[in-house]
């Protein structure tokens, strides 16, 4: 699946939302490491993200060639500063209508509209791929992300009070959210 759109951020800066491709692998890994160092809201710690450049290239190639899944990146001034991905929950008939979304942005670029743009692009891609439900999990303390997802019409359908075992704060509660696409 292919996607490309240029948007104007809240500060007037231009941002390109596009597929992350194998040629972006090294920059993607550097930005992902930075994002994981800047927040305690993500699935893994920076020391747990140790993909090689070749493994990342392979992952991005699979996403680029997929008709249903996609890995997007946000590019500001020719630098990758954020990501979003749409991945199928599974292939069996009973769950093939469901996909999950993940969004992450470097802290210096929070509150500029990149999260909204990446989420909207992900929704558009999920619809195009034929998914009928988009799902996510978000740390309950991440109020800004929850507000964004609610603005995009995601609804809470449950909570997992021990969703993440945190090195910093015992457990983190996860909010389960979904968006009905059709």
């Amino acid at each position: 699946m292919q996607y490309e759109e240029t948007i104007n951020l809240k500060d007037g800066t231009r941002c390109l939302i596009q597929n992350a491709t194998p040629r972006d692998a090294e920059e993607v890994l550097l930005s992902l490491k930075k994002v994981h160092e800047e927040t305690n809201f993500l699935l893994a710690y920076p020391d747990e993200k140790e993909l090689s450049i070749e493994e990342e290239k392979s992952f991005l190639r699979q996403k680029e060639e997929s008709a249903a899944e996609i890995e997007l990146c946000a590019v500001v001034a020719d630098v990758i500063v954020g990501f979003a991905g749409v991945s199928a929950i599974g292939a069996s008939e009973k769950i093939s209508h469901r996909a999950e979304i993940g969004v992450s942005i470097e802290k210096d670029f929070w509150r500029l509209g990149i999260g909204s743009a990446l989420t909207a692009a992900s929704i558009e891609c999920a619809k195009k791929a034929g998914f009928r439900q988009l799902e996510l999990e978000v740390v309950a303390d991440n109020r800004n992300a929850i507000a964004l997802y609610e603005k995009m019409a995601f609804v809470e359908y449950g909570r997992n009070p021990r969703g993440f075992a945190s090195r910093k704060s015992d457990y983190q509660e996860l909010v389960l959210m979904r968006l009905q696409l059709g």
Side-chain angles (χ1 to χ4, degrees), residues 2-180:
Q2 298 296 310
Y3 187 90
E4 184 173 312
E5 180 183 14
T6 301
I7 61 165
N8 289 317
L9 300 178
K10 292 177 183 177
D11 67 355
T13 306
R14 294 176 64 74
C15 176
L16 176 63
I17 307 294
Q18 65 181 11
N19 292 73
T21 67
R23 70 180 175 278
D24 300 318
E26 187 171 2
E27 188 177 358
V28 165
L29 289 173
L30 289 171
S31 185
L32 279 172
K33 183 175 184 343
K34 182 176 183 183
V35 167
H36 281 82
E37 289 170 349
E38 293 176 331
T39 182
N40 195 32
F41 294 144
L42 300 177
L43 179 64
Y45 292 102
D47 60 330
E48 296 178 305
K49 289 289 191 185
E50 297 192 22
L51 289 178
S52 70
I53 292 173
E54 288 307 313
E55 289 170 322
E56 185 66 18
K57 282 182 181 179
S58 177
F59 171 78
L60 293 174
R61 188 174 300 108
Q62 289 173 347
K63 294 295 184 176
E64 187 177 40
E65 294 171 357
S66 174
E69 298 184 327
I70 192 163
E71 189 72 18
L72 298 167
C73 62
V75 181
V76 176
D78 296 321
V79 176
I80 294 174
V81 300
F83 309 92
V86 174
S87 300
I89 299 286
S92 68
E93 184 178 347
K94 286 186 174 185
I95 59 171
S96 64
H97 67 287
R98 297 167 55 203
E100 61 185 351
I101 177 179
V103 179
S104 59
I105 301 158
E106 291 182 12
K107 197 169 194 171
D108 289 344
F109 295 88
W110 288 2
R111 297 188 179 95
L112 294 176
I114 295 173
S116 294
L118 285 169
T119 304
S122 296
I123 293 167
E124 182 180 330
C125 291
K127 286 179 180 178
K128 182 178 174 185
F131 292 112
R132 296 188 313 262
Q133 182 167 291
L134 196 53
E135 302 173 16
L136 61 87
E137 294 179 344
V138 58
V139 174
D141 291 339
N142 192 349
R143 290 176 187 85
N144 290 330
I146 292 170
L148 164 66
Y149 298 135
E150 288 174 340
K151 178 180 84 172
M152 297 293 203
F154 281 83
V155 295
E156 179 179 331
Y157 69 93
R159 290 187 176 237
N160 183 344
R162 293 169 58 115
F164 286 168
S166 175
R167 292 177 185 170
K168 298 177 181 178
S169 62
D170 197 26
Y171 290 98
Q172 291 174 292
E173 182 175 43
L174 295 179
V175 178
L176 290 70
M177 302 183 82
R178 69 179 188 85
L179 174 66
Q180 187 171 321

